[in-house]
């Protein structure tokens, strides 16, 4: 059995193929120090592509691109890159009635998005993929979110805070919009940006320890 990677909190044990501060903070919360290495991939949905397939495809593409390998990278391809760190890619989409809601382009777009979510359940789908010595391992989590009824003036006031501008679906559950969310059924951390239970399982399989050094 191979030895686990260095668990020193000051030494990265994982490469994060994202500039998201939320994902970095979530990984830090389970004791995983990361090296930030964002990748640039085309995030355009394919025609007729289901939302779940879309987030899974992007997470895998980011993990593979972060390893510098080809689209079908597996164990040997990863090893040949000479990397000493597994690579994590992830993608989160807000989905309403099967439609993927991206980041709002302006105030009116954000208003329409949040008005459409007001008083209704919607889904947040997050996929995570880890490229490493065990190949490319993946998991997708779907959470249901109920947003309370929103008033038009508070939607516009929320936009003026600047928070929704770069958020899928036009809101951040871990931020000011926490007061809009009535209920979450599923993984809260997945709604924020990374399903920690599933992520920890994938990391262990890639020999990356979490806070207690466990590789169960």
């Amino acid at each position: 059995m191979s030895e686990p990677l260095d668990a020193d909190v000051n030494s990265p044990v994982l490469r994060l193929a994202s500039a998201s501060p939320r994902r970095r903070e979530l990984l830090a919360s389970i004791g995983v120090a990361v090296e930030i290495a964002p990748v640039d991939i085309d995030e355009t949905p394919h025609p007729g592509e289901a939302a779940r397939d879309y987030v899974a495809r992007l997470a895998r593409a980011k993990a593979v691109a972060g390893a510098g390998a080809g689209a079908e990278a597996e164990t040997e391809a990863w090893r040949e890159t000479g990397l000493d760190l597994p690579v994590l890619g992830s993608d989160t989409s807000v989905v309403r009635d099967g439609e993927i809601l991206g980041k709002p382009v302006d105030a009116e777009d954000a208003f329409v998005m949040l008005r459409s979510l007001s008083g209704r359940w919607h889904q947040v789908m997050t996929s995570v993929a880890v490229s490493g010595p065990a190949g490319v391992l993946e998991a997708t989590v779907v959470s249901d979110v109920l947003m309370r009824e929103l008033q038009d003036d508070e939607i516009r006031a929320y936009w003026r805070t600047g928070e929704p501008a770069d958020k899928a679906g036009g809101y951040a559950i871990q931020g000011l919009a926490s007061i809009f969310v009535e209920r979450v059924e599923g993984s809260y951390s997945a709604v924020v940006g990374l399903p920690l239970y599933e992520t920890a399982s994938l990391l262990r399989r890639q020999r990356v320890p979490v806070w207690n050094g466990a590789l169960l």
Side-chain angles (χ1 to χ4, degrees), residues 2-181:
S2 61
E3 292 298 318
L5 297 176
D6 184 2
D8 182 346
V9 294
N10 296 314
S11 176
V13 294
L14 180 70
R15 179 167 294 172
L16 177 60
S18 168
S20 167
R22 294 170 297 282
R23 293 194 176 106
R24 183 177 69 249
E25 291 163 3
L26 286 167
L27 287 165
S29 75
I30 59 170
V32 178
V34 300
E35 172 185 289
I36 304 299
V39 297
D40 184 18
I41 65 169
D42 182 1
E43 299 190 10
T44 305
H46 292 166
E49 186 174 30
R52 187 179 184 121
D53 295 337
Y54 169 75
V55 294
R57 175 173 63 83
L58 290 193
R60 180 183 178 88
K62 291 174 184 178
V64 170
E72 299 301 322
E74 296 298 340
T75 303
E76 290 307 314
W78 181 86
R79 286 174 178 161
E80 289 171 2
T81 68
L83 293 175
D84 58 351
L85 299 178
V87 181
L88 184 148
S90 185
D91 190 75
T92 300
S93 287
V94 173
V95 182
R96 183 205 60 227
D97 299 331
E99 179 185 358
I100 299 170
L101 302 183
K103 299 174 182 178
V105 297
D106 54 26
E108 191 57 32
D109 193 27
F111 181 86
V112 171
M113 280 187 192
L114 290 169
R115 171 52 54 210
S116 74
L117 298 177
S118 174
R120 297 185 52 192
W121 287 94
H122 63 274
Q123 293 181 314
V124 177
M125 300 184 183
T126 298
S127 282
V128 56
V130 184
S131 174
V136 182
L137 308 178
E138 309 169 59
T140 299
V141 173
V142 180
S143 301
D144 295 309
V145 179
L146 174 62
M147 191 168 284
R148 66 167 172 80
E149 291 283 351
L150 305 179
Q151 301 301 312
D152 290 358
D153 60 347
E154 64 182 340
I155 294 176
R156 297 197 187 281
Y158 180 50
W159 171 261
R160 290 194 295 271
T161 68
E163 184 175 274
D166 64 343
K167 305 297 189 299
Y171 76 95
I173 194 172
Q174 77 281 5
L176 299 173
S178 59
I179 67 170
F180 298 161
V181 176

